Amino acid sequence: MTITGAVELLATWEAGLAEAPSGRALLLHRTARPDVDVASLPVLPVGEREADLFALRRALFGERMQVRLACSACGEDMEFDLDAGEFARSLGGRGGSGDGQGGSTGGQGGSVGGRDSSAGAASSAGSASSVGTASFAGSASSAGAVVRVRQDGWDVVFRLPGVADLTAAARAADPRAALLARCLVSAVRDGTDAGPGDLPVPVQRRIAEAVEAADPGADVTLNIACPECGEATRAELDIASYLWTELDTWARDLLLDVHLLATSYGWSEPEILALSPLRRRYYLELCADV
Ligand SMILES: [Zn+2]
């Protein structure tokens, strides 16, 4: 990943000020993935975005992430460190191998490639509920990656949900059903086409498991044991809002630095931003000494 310069990063922050959290997350994702067409970003699997954002966090602010959390049992304030690089790697991201089954396809309406079909058939011999995990085969992005589930005579191909899918589903009266309808590529029972409403609950559950296995970063849940009372607290880590908060602090600090240096030396903003952080720090110390 190329580390974005201070000027671009400030522009990202400025653009994000007027945005809702979802818009800020998209801006951060753009910064993390300049290689991907902007329109495709919301279609990438959610877990891939999370991995991208952890990688960006690491590139901008380093590995160590400090997290504060209140114990859900006794209210104790807990503070601990997480490793952004560890998350970026373990969440898979692009280029991850998965189990090598399945295939990614941009096709709609069941036009899944032959490679996927054969892999699914080969593995279904072994177990009653085989799951073809999606493979992120070398391409720049895994938009449209699918999982395949075969169970109880059903053969279902399901696209890994992206942020756009989750956002749209959340607005529906029944978010689960809406997500199922949006991401279902094809459902066949004993050779007959079926719709999302026909899927029995066990098959739906199997799809959810397959999606989670193929896109594990979609839900980053922390499980922290309290040092005071021993109870575990579960909390979701929203890397987008975490990173935004850091970027906000960084930008405001930087603008203050610009103000101080411009006042002292008469330099312009572009001149000051062109300085390395180390030199800025050095000149600021000199200002303070006077
Ligand atoms: Zn506690």
Side-chain angles (χ1 to χ4, degrees), residues 70-76 78 225-231 233:
C71 171
S72 57
C74 74
E76 174 77 7
M78 300 187 286
C226 174
E228 283 299 309
C229 73
E231 290 295 315
T233 296

Side-chain angles (χ1 to χ4, degrees), residues 4-267:
T4 315
V7 175
E8 291 88 349
L9 218 47
L10 264 186
T12 301
W13 168 75
E14 195 176 354
L17 285 176
E19 294 283 340
S22 61
R24 291 172 177 176
L26 180 61
L27 283 167
L28 291 171
H29 202 191
R30 271 170 74 171
T31 308
R33 294 296 299 273
D35 59 314
V36 176
D37 175 48
V38 174
S40 302
L41 287 174
V43 190
L44 291 188
V46 178
E48 184 176 338
R49 183 187 77 162
E50 301 300 275
D52 289 339
L53 293 182
F54 275 108
L56 176 65
R57 197 286 173 181
R58 180 176 174 235
L60 295 179
F61 302 118
E63 303 261 353
R64 205 169 69 99
M65 293 172 60
Q66 276 193 319
V67 178
R68 287 180 76 140
L69 194 62
C71 171
S72 57
C74 74
E76 174 77 7
D77 199 19
M78 300 187 286
E79 196 171 307
F80 49 92
D81 287 347
L82 298 173
D83 186 327
E86 190 75 32
F87 275 106
R89 279 188 297 277
S90 68
L91 297 185
R94 53 204 179 278
S97 62
D99 287 339
Q101 295 174 4
S104 69
T105 170
Q108 293 289 314
S111 61
V112 181
R115 204 163 62 85
D116 181 70
S117 311
S118 60
S123 61
S124 68
S127 66
S129 53
S130 75
V131 178
T133 27
S135 68
F136 306 130
S139 62
S141 81
S142 43
V146 298
V147 291
R148 181 170 197 159
V149 168
R150 292 180 164 202
Q151 179 167 307
D152 307 334
W154 286 89
D155 186 351
V156 179
V157 177
F158 195 79
R159 186 168 55 76
L160 294 181
V163 174
D165 299 309
L166 296 190
T167 309
R171 283 194 216 107
D174 184 346
R176 269 174 66 104
L179 192 64
L180 207 56
R182 277 183 71 93
C183 298
L184 188 69
V185 177
S186 66
V188 176
R189 188 186 190 185
D190 300 327
T192 310
D193 285 341
D198 304 322
L199 293 169
V201 172
V203 175
Q204 290 184 28
R205 203 174 295 138
R206 206 71 196 86
I207 294 170
E209 287 166 6
V211 167
E212 201 182 320
D215 193 30
D219 239 328
V220 179
T221 307
L222 305 173
N223 210 357
I224 307 297
C226 174
E228 283 299 309
C229 73
E231 290 295 315
T233 296
R234 283 171 66 86
E236 270 182 37
L237 177 62
D238 181 353
I239 180 62
S241 71
Y242 184 98
L243 185 51
W244 174 263
T245 304
E246 285 186 317
L247 182 69
D248 189 54
T249 304
W250 169 87
R252 289 170 197 276
D253 287 349
L254 183 60
L255 292 185
L256 179 62
D257 290 355
V258 170
H259 165 71
L260 294 172
L261 292 174
T263 308
S264 294
Y265 295 95
W267 296 334

